[in-house]
Amino acid sequence: MKWLKFVSSALVVCVLFTAYHIITVEGESSNPRVVLMRLEDIGPGGQYGSMEQLGKLRAVLDYLREQHVIYHLAVIPRWIDVSPDGVRYDVSLDQTGNPYVEAYQKLLKQAVGDGATLGMHGYTHQVGNIRRDDGHQESGIGNEFNVPGSEETLTASFAEPRLKAGLAIFKNAGLQPQFWESPHYRSTPEQDQLFRNYFGLHYQADVQIDRNTPVAQYINEPNSGYGASSMGAVYVPTPFDYISFNKDEKVIIDRVGKSNNINSFFYHPFLEFKHLIPVTNDQGEPVLRDGLPEFRYPAQDKSVLQKLIAGLKAKGYKFYSIQDYVPFTPSQRVQIKPTGQQDKLMLGDVTGDGQSDLVNWDSQKGTITVTPGSFRGMRNNAQGTSSVWANVPFKDGAVAALEAGDASAEGKNGLWIMSPTGLLQRFESDSQHFTLQKEWKIAPRNCSNLYVLRQGSGNTVIAGLSSDRLTLFGYYVSKGGEIKPLKPYKFKNELKNELQLRTQDDGTKSLFYARSGAVSGLELSVDKAAMSWKMKKAELNIPNEDGEIRFGDFNGDGKEDVLRWNYEHNRFTVYLHKEADDYELLSVFGPWGSSGSKLITGDLDGNGKTDLALVRLQDGYLDSALSFESK
């Protein structure tokens, strides 16, 4: 009986460990111990209108970097004010020949390089060209949209030129905003529709629905009317508001963990300036760095920001990026020709510009068309024009695949086609056409899917799943072009879900299969010595949830992460790969996307992070959501 007690004890320990893991993950999902902080009203004027003030702002940002605090910058690109004597101040972040503006640009770029997320906070954040009794002629103080008593500020036709002008300033300054925030959260429904066409991520509540929402709001409907159409948007509120000049850090610290609100707030960094100490040399002269005077914080925590950071860390909270809280940003929609054949669309970089292109094989005409991808600009920018790159007659049972992630030396993915007549072909890209590079005679067979598996040293395995989805075939193709067949692997039952590509620690590719809702699956890799498939059971150590499993490097740290796609509710849960076989919940994205879509994952914009693409070929479009997650 001793052995029975031992087994029972072991089972209890395993159950408790599993329960602890699931409770921890799910608890973090509903009430994570994270904080989001936005630095408000950053712009070329006001409290930051001189080299000295810029030096102080840099000291604040340097301190945040040293404390490993993730933060956000709400930037006003053009600063306007009118003094009591009528003198007009007007400085934009793209002015040339202005040392102050050049220093400001460099400071913002350094902040982004250090991990800050930059957003657009209106165009001028003020109204009018004359001084007003209420002070709203000054940037940072005034309203810009939906201004009481100013009818012209209520329309999208008023807002769009200002939005475009602000975006042009950012572009000229070498900066790209990642989110939008309306000044003082004031806007009309018509203007919000406009803003969603340009930005998929908004760092504010959707004030038209609920300005007091405690958590993120997802708008899951198409955007149109202002440039190229797109799908959805996300609003992230600041339920904790801000720390005013006459309050202290306790207005935030005393509230965290006491409600279901996301711990999100904003802060004006100029409130720190009175605590900063000038840095001087032995002669008592100011020390300059990159043309700006140096300042430092006191050794003891005296400022509001110092005490805020210390207090939150003492409570076990960490600062989070909005792009981790919302792990994907709804982005571009690409129009494609409706065919109803979802398995004929492929994604990969065939033009060599680092972005994924859409490759479609027309099963009726045999034409292979390419739509160049453009995922780095604003979401409503026009996409590339499709063109025919090759003509390969299609036969039932033929399959094709791109070399996913395995670009050539020129940075372009090759195309593989397996024909049911017994022909395997590889095509190379010259950025304008596909050219047949080599072909091999193989056994004739009909397939439903094709997979390209890198095996190291330039060798490749081409795997085909039979049309009845019961048998996996394979061919080992050496770098020199020699081909050898693998012994087929027969499944016990027809595969209901798609096989997924996985990346091993040595960089080679394998195939993974799991049923919906599973936390483990079958992994198939190549046994080169036996020229066969070897199968093992793979445990993923993630919670048991509804939905299918996908893989990718979603935060760009070089490790393979797990995505759970709940296609019924259009939700995507990201688990980041930590140590060994341990995964940690990042966050949940959605609901986003149209029901009945096919999910394809890949690095669409070339930033080294896996993105989402939902395809509805029957409707003729692909919707993208891009990852900018932290490493």
Side-chain angles (χ1 to χ4, degrees):
M1 296 297 291
K2 289 184 178 179
W3 66 270
L4 183 58
K5 291 181 179 179
F6 175 79
V7 172
S8 300
S9 299
L11 287 173
V12 169
V13 170
C14 290
V15 169
L16 288 175
F17 175 80
T18 303
Y20 170 78
H21 178 78
I22 293 175
I23 289 171
T24 300
V25 170
E26 292 182 348
E28 289 173 348
S29 176
S30 60
N31 191 17
R33 298 181 70 83
V34 298
V35 176
L36 278 68
M37 179 175 68
R38 187 181 71 223
L39 301 185
E40 195 79 337
D41 296 338
I42 307 299
Q47 300 288 348
Y48 314 103
S50 68
M51 289 294 210
E52 178 180 343
Q53 301 298 77
L54 274 189
K56 292 179 179 179
L57 177 60
R58 182 179 62 185
V60 175
L61 303 186
D62 285 349
Y63 176 75
L64 293 175
R65 184 192 69 244
E66 293 164 2
Q67 295 297 314
H68 306 289
V69 171
I70 296 175
Y71 62 94
H72 309 81
L73 295 164
V75 178
I76 305 167
R78 181 182 178 187
W79 200 281
I80 292 176
D81 191 15
V82 181
S83 67
D85 56 3
V87 176
R88 180 180 173 85
Y89 178 94
D90 189 346
V91 177
S92 299
L93 281 173
D94 65 344
Q95 287 184 359
T96 58
N98 186 333
Y100 163 75
V101 170
E102 292 173 359
Y104 217 134
Q105 290 178 3
K106 184 173 184 178
L107 178 59
L108 293 176
K109 291 175 183 177
Q110 287 175 339
V112 172
D114 290 336
T117 302
L118 183 144
M120 182 174 178
H121 189 25
Y123 170 46
T124 62
H125 200 317
Q126 56 81 236
V127 63
N129 295 304
I130 60 173
R131 187 168 181 84
R132 297 165 53 112
D133 293 338
D134 58 10
H136 280 218
Q137 82 288 335
E138 182 179 358
S139 294
I141 294 178
N143 295 315
E144 185 171 0
F145 308 110
N146 194 9
V147 180
S150 298
E151 293 293 323
E152 71 277 7
T153 66
L154 305 181
T155 65
S157 60
F158 169 82
E160 187 170 26
R162 302 179 71 83
L163 182 60
K164 289 182 176 179
L167 289 171
I169 291 173
F170 279 116
K171 184 177 181 179
N172 294 337
L175 299 164
Q176 182 167 341
Q178 300 293 318
F179 63 83
W180 168 263
E181 180 201 352
S182 292
H184 295 156
Y185 303 157
R186 293 191 63 87
S187 56
T188 65
E190 179 186 355
Q191 290 171 336
D192 284 346
Q193 183 180 5
L194 163 72
F195 299 146
R196 286 195 294 270
N197 274 265
Y198 282 82
F199 288 90
L201 184 60
H202 300 247
Y203 201 163
Q204 63 170 84
D206 183 347
V207 297
Q208 314 303 337
I209 296 178
D210 181 6
R211 65 170 51 248
N212 297 314
T213 180
V215 293
Q217 301 158 296
Y218 283 79
I219 307 298
N220 193 28
E221 59 186 32
N223 307 301
S224 61
Y226 305 93
S229 61
S230 58
M231 183 64 181
V234 188
Y235 289 80
V236 177
T238 52
F240 288 5
D241 297 322
Y242 69 106
I243 305 174
S244 63
F245 72 95
N246 58 348
K247 300 290 183 180
D248 61 20
E249 71 286 348
K250 293 179 182 178
V251 300
I252 303 298
I253 294 176
D254 290 348
R255 294 174 67 184
V256 296
K258 295 182 179 180
S259 69
N260 289 325
N261 291 339
I262 175 179
N263 304 312
S264 176
F265 66 96
F266 60 93
Y267 185 66
H268 294 91
F270 68 79
L271 296 176
E272 295 290 289
F273 290 1
K274 62 184 178 183
H275 299 283
L276 300 178
I277 302 170
V279 177
T280 58
N281 58 21
D282 294 339
Q283 288 73 42
E285 299 169 336
V287 173
L288 300 180
R289 173 163 56 98
D290 296 333
L292 297 179
E294 288 267 42
F295 292 87
R296 64 176 177 84
Y297 271 88
Q300 295 181 335
D301 292 344
K302 293 184 177 181
S303 78
V304 170
L305 194 56
Q306 285 179 305
K307 291 185 284 187
L308 174 68
I309 293 171
L312 289 172
K313 287 184 176 180
K315 281 195 166 188
Y317 284 81
K318 65 179 180 179
F319 287 84
Y320 226 46
S321 167
I322 190 175
Q323 293 172 318
D324 290 328
Y325 178 68
V326 179
F328 303 98
T329 297
S331 301
Q332 291 83 355
R333 167 173 283 186
V334 184
Q335 298 293 330
I336 48 183
K337 180 181 178 181
T339 66
Q341 299 292 327
Q342 292 193 25
D343 59 345
K344 302 301 182 292
L345 181 73
M346 297 161 278
L347 285 176
D349 181 13
V350 298
T351 57
D353 67 350
Q355 301 182 83
S356 289
D357 309 301
L358 280 70
V359 181
N360 194 31
W361 189 10
D362 191 314
S363 58
Q364 296 180 344
K365 298 179 180 179
T367 54
I368 299 176
T369 59
V370 173
T371 304
S374 179
F375 298 97
R376 292 174 180 162
M378 302 308 296
R379 68 189 311 210
N380 61 345
N381 287 349
Q383 292 290 319
T385 303
S386 300
S387 60
V388 176
W389 279 37
N391 196 312
V392 180
F394 178 86
K395 294 181 174 61
D396 288 340
V399 285
L402 293 172
E403 296 168 337
D406 303 328
S408 66
E410 294 78 25
K412 298 182 284 288
N413 295 131
L415 171 68
W416 291 80
I417 293 179
M418 184 181 288
S419 170
T421 59
L423 193 64
L424 177 65
Q425 298 172 303
R426 183 185 184 276
F427 294 80
E428 286 187 341
S429 164
D430 64 1
S431 298
Q432 293 182 321
H433 304 90
F434 283 123
T435 304
L436 181 63
Q437 182 256 340
K438 195 173 181 63
E439 62 183 18
W440 301 263
K441 291 288 186 179
I442 59 174
R445 58 173 59 92
N446 290 355
C447 288
S448 61
N449 293 88
L450 192 68
Y451 308 92
V452 182
L453 311 179
R454 183 181 61 213
Q455 298 299 301
S457 302
N459 303 318
T460 305
V461 167
I462 306 301
L465 181 64
S466 61
S467 57
D468 60 8
R469 304 179 68 82
L470 285 169
T471 307
L472 184 67
F473 302 97
Y475 294 91
Y476 195 99
V477 183
S478 70
K479 183 178 181 180
E482 297 181 14
I483 187 169
K484 295 181 180 180
L486 300 179
K487 181 181 178 181
Y489 183 89
K490 295 185 179 296
F491 298 98
K492 294 181 180 179
N493 300 295
E494 175 188 349
L495 300 188
K496 301 298 183 182
N497 294 333
E498 299 297 333
L499 288 165
Q500 303 299 323
L501 287 174
R502 291 204 70 180
T503 303
Q504 304 301 306
D505 292 338
D506 61 359
T508 61
K509 300 288 185 179
S510 62
L511 292 170
F512 178 89
Y513 179 79
R515 295 185 178 91
S516 296
V519 296
S520 63
L522 303 179
E523 188 168 316
L524 290 154
S525 57
V526 176
D527 184 340
K528 184 180 178 182
M531 278 294 150
S532 64
W533 296 99
K534 56 182 178 181
M535 186 273 289
K536 69 174 183 178
K537 185 176 181 180
E539 299 284 348
L540 294 178
N541 196 24
I542 60 174
N544 194 340
E545 303 164 305
D546 292 337
E548 296 182 1
I549 289 172
R550 296 289 188 273
F551 299 96
D553 184 4
F554 296 104
N555 65 344
D557 65 352
K559 299 177 182 178
E560 185 180 69
D561 309 310
V562 175
L563 178 81
R564 176 78 77 176
W565 174 39
N566 187 322
Y567 47 84
E568 292 184 353
H569 298 286
N570 297 318
R571 293 183 185 273
F572 309 78
T573 305
V574 178
Y575 297 95
L576 297 181
H577 194 177
K578 296 302 180 181
E579 301 299 327
D581 295 326
D582 187 32
Y583 293 88
E584 179 180 283
L585 173 72
L586 177 70
S587 53
V588 180
F589 174 68
W592 173 80
S594 301
S595 298
S597 299
K598 176 182 177 180
L599 174 64
I600 303 176
T601 58
D603 184 6
L604 301 181
D605 58 350
N607 70 347
K609 302 176 183 182
T610 304
D611 308 306
L612 308 180
L614 286 179
V615 180
R616 284 182 62 86
L617 277 182
Q618 63 269 38
D619 294 330
Y621 59 78
L622 174 150
D623 286 321
S624 66
L626 304 181
S627 171
F628 302 96
E629 298 165 20
S630 305
K631 291 185 179 180

